[in-house]
Amino acid sequence: MAQNENLAALSAAGVSVWLDDLSRDRIRSGNLAELIATRSVVGVTTNPTIFQGALSKGHAYDDQVKELAARGADVDAAVRTITTDDVRAACDVFTEVFERSGGVDGRVSIEVDPRYAFDTDKTVAQAVELWKIVDRPNLFIKIPATEEGLPAITKVLAEGISVNVTLIFSVARYRSVMGAYLDGLRNARIAGHDIARIHSVASFFVSRVDSEIDKRLEAIGTPEALELRGKAGIANARLAYAAYQDVFDGGARTSTFSVLASNGGNRQRPLWASTGVKNPDYSDTMYITELVAPNTVNTLPEKTMQAFADHGELRGDTVSGTAAQAQEVFDRLTAVGIDLDDVFAVLEREGVDKFEKSWDELLTATAAELKTTGSN
């Protein structure tokens, strides 16, 4: 099977293609392996919404639910077992990719319980627990970039555990995330861990920024405001990449990273998340074409991935050197009345709430299945 030319070219441009989805059917049917072979997929991300969707469809989990009910497992233990089994199996599918990339790719992410997003200690405890349960070197533990999540990121990395930092919306918070990563890597080295084995990505959300800001621009309604629709998400990501370059390629924190790099430390790569286009008026591949840069990851819903495979455009690096233009977009947003600090606060709160709701739905559905199965 040959790789799709568009996605292969995207990979050659320095963008790692990850799938934003996982299910037992996808693993068992060979679909995940097929995407690796034909769509340049080199990683997978999951979240509570993805797991809730997977468990609510079909019958792939019926036998395991029956077994768990027979053992008297409670709902939290059942969900933990089901989700970690899927992630472990996916890690095994990606073993060859992981080894071929030297541990950079071939990664599968699992998120800590979203109910712990504002509890540092519980986040750390569950991150360590999930790492031990899955027991695969190509696992990423996803930790949200809340204020309480930042010290958790540092502590988990210090344990020698690789981390995917999620729900990043603002460049200011992203800089704090990179600081937490460098602190964690330094502490891991002090603790005697081989920091060359520790990897991390920082998941910077894109389309949700446009959705929230476009709504506010339409409420303002002036020609100047309406002309800015669909520009904030890409500008925000481009400013984030400039911050990444500042930290890892020549800015104030680069000296810190240089010391760690000399001891095997890896960069924390930017990951573009939420890259499915929600507005039908926009190109369905805009968050791919406009965010091509070296040492990045783009985690794609399958629909968006297939759209790029079919008709995506690649115009080379569309991010490096664009910080000034991106800042101009932000200056114009502020000038028309957009409160960017409020936008980012709302997006973080809604992001956590969305994952909590999905997790609650997952627990409720699993509890009902355990009860029904156990009574039969």
Side-chain angles (χ1 to χ4, degrees):
M1 290 185 286
Q3 294 286 2
N4 173 268
E5 290 184 4
N6 289 347
L7 289 163
L10 182 66
S11 297
V15 181
S16 292
V17 178
W18 290 8
L19 175 69
D20 192 26
D21 189 48
L22 184 65
S23 68
R24 192 159 296 180
D25 278 336
R26 195 183 284 280
I27 297 168
R28 287 179 173 175
S29 68
N31 171 262
L32 186 58
E34 182 181 350
L35 292 174
I36 295 171
T38 66
R39 293 295 184 265
S40 298
V41 170
V42 292
V44 159
T45 53
T46 67
N47 60 47
T49 302
I50 287 171
F51 277 130
Q52 190 275 331
L55 269 74
S56 67
K57 299 172 186 173
H59 303 283
Y61 299 92
D62 290 357
D63 289 344
Q64 187 171 29
V65 171
K66 287 180 182 178
E67 178 189 342
L68 290 164
R71 290 196 324 220
D74 64 31
V75 63
D76 286 294
V79 167
R80 184 167 56 250
T81 298
I82 291 167
T83 56
T84 54
D85 281 359
D86 276 5
V87 168
R88 186 184 306 107
C91 283
D92 291 343
V93 174
F94 279 102
T95 296
E96 184 180 343
V97 175
F98 176 71
E99 293 174 350
R100 187 173 67 240
S101 68
V104 174
D105 285 310
R107 296 279 176 172
V108 183
S109 299
I110 187 170
E111 191 152 346
V112 295
D113 188 327
R115 295 172 297 183
Y116 301 158
F118 303 108
D119 189 316
T120 301
D121 292 340
K122 287 184 178 180
T123 293
V124 173
Q126 192 179 61
V128 172
E129 179 187 37
L130 290 171
W131 182 259
K132 290 177 179 177
I133 292 172
V134 176
D135 192 27
R136 293 295 186 272
N138 51 332
L139 178 68
F140 266 143
I141 303 296
K142 289 180 81 172
I143 298 175
T146 58
E147 289 285 358
E148 296 81 3
L150 294 173
I153 292 160
T154 297
K155 290 179 180 180
V156 171
L157 287 161
E159 295 289 333
I161 295 171
S162 295
V163 172
N164 175 345
V165 184
T166 189
L167 290 177
I168 307 172
F169 296 99
S170 73
V171 175
R173 182 59 56 84
Y174 178 44
R175 284 190 174 276
S176 296
V177 166
M178 289 187 285
Y181 170 68
L182 294 174
D183 289 344
L185 213 56
R186 182 169 54 247
N187 292 344
R189 178 171 172 254
I190 292 170
H193 294 288
D194 178 2
I195 62 173
R197 298 171 65 88
I198 303 171
H199 287 260
S200 183
V201 292
S203 297
F204 202 86
F205 281 55
V206 185
S207 68
R208 294 191 196 181
V209 173
D210 273 336
S211 295
E212 179 64 25
I213 289 181
D214 282 3
K215 178 175 65 177
R216 298 184 185 209
L217 290 169
E218 288 165 4
I220 294 168
T222 63
E224 294 82 4
L226 296 177
E227 200 272 330
L228 289 166
R229 287 178 297 181
K231 296 183 177 180
I234 290 168
N236 199 34
R238 288 172 171 174
L239 288 171
Y241 191 76
Y244 157 79
Q245 290 180 306
D246 182 45
V247 170
F248 293 100
D249 287 326
R253 296 296 292 266
T254 298
S255 58
T256 301
F257 176 65
S258 296
V259 173
L260 294 167
S262 68
N263 287 277
N266 299 292
R267 294 163 175 263
Q268 183 187 51
R269 292 187 294 167
L271 180 154
W272 312 131
S274 181
T275 52
V277 177
K278 297 175 174 59
N279 189 328
D281 293 336
Y282 302 155
S283 165
D284 56 359
T285 59
M286 64 184 279
Y287 297 127
I288 307 174
T289 299
E290 302 298 335
L291 292 175
V292 175
N295 297 313
T296 58
V297 179
N298 199 315
T299 177
L300 300 168
E302 187 171 16
K303 180 180 177 182
T304 305
M305 180 187 300
Q306 301 296 16
F308 192 82
D310 178 66
H311 55 265
E313 292 183 67
L314 193 66
R315 303 197 306 269
D317 184 341
T318 51
V319 178
S320 300
T322 62
Q325 300 97 303
Q327 185 59 53
E328 181 183 345
V329 171
F330 266 46
D331 292 343
R332 291 168 63 194
L333 288 167
T334 300
V336 299
I338 299 296
D339 184 342
L340 292 168
D341 288 340
D342 184 67
V343 167
F344 297 137
V346 167
L347 287 171
E348 179 179 290
R349 186 169 62 250
E350 288 182 348
V352 173
D353 288 347
K354 179 182 178 182
F355 285 163
E356 275 195 33
K357 181 181 178 183
S358 296
W359 195 253
D360 288 341
E361 290 172 356
L362 175 59
L363 293 173
T364 299
T366 304
E369 287 291 325
L370 288 168
K371 183 177 181 180
T372 300
T373 303
S375 62
N376 289 340

